[in-house]
Amino acid sequence: MITGFAKSFRRVCFALAGLLIAVAPAVAAADPVSCDPSLQGRQVAHLLFGRNVEDRFRVSETDWSEFVAREVSPRFPDGFTVVDATGQWRDKRRGSIVNESSKLIEIVLPGTDDDRTKIEAIAEAYKQRFEQQSVGLIIGPACVRF
């Protein structure tokens, strides 16, 4: 079962993802971001992964590492960044502020036709494996250099 915090956190992530999906066509249709000549215009994806189920810490570091090795690395072998984070939301049922350990993955997308398919596959795999309702997703333009 999913805790109130997890439900609210996932609802916020789901709403944000829905908003981003609705805005994505407009962003894609807009002119690419204007970057300094030393930088390259790309899209960057941020995936937000909650680690609790039913107010209990569910996804251990070992579980997380195995998930990344199995689901993320094969899809984005050129690299990505993983950040430990804490999500916060108000549990309206209890009227309290709740915090949840989470992970954030940032990927500078390669710009291939299947970027979005790969991201969705990662999110679905996480939801199924760790009994999550949603995985937050933010995609936006950036100027990058490696």
Side-chain angles (χ1 to χ4, degrees), residues 34-141:
S34 178
C35 297
D36 176 278
S38 67
L39 301 171
Q40 182 180 34
R42 302 280 282 276
Q43 293 287 307
V44 176
H46 299 268
L47 292 99
L48 310 166
F49 302 87
R51 298 176 69 188
N52 290 359
V53 175
E54 288 298 316
D55 287 333
R56 291 183 36 213
F57 186 72
R58 169 74 161 67
V59 183
S60 70
E61 286 299 320
T62 300
D63 291 336
W64 174 256
S65 295
E66 290 171 358
F67 174 80
V68 170
R70 182 178 301 122
E71 302 293 343
V72 184
S73 295
R75 289 181 172 93
F76 294 100
D78 290 340
F80 50 87
T81 300
V82 176
V83 179
D84 288 319
T86 301
Q88 177 178 300
W89 55 276
R90 180 179 300 279
D91 183 338
K92 292 183 181 184
R93 186 184 52 152
R94 292 187 239 175
S96 60
I97 298 292
V98 182
N99 293 288
E100 176 180 18
S101 293
S102 59
K103 295 283 190 176
L104 180 145
I105 293 182
E106 181 177 66
I107 306 167
V108 176
L109 298 173
T112 60
D113 291 339
D114 63 346
D115 286 349
R116 186 60 183 256
T117 302
K118 291 176 183 178
I119 289 169
E120 293 296 339
I122 291 167
E124 286 304 313
Y126 191 81
K127 290 187 308 186
Q128 288 182 10
R129 180 167 179 195
F130 299 113
E131 302 173 40
Q132 303 289 307
Q133 281 187 328
S134 65
V135 169
L137 173 61
I138 303 166
I139 299 176

Side-chain angles (χ1 to χ4, degrees), residues 17-26:
L19 175 63
L20 290 171
I21 289 168
V23 173

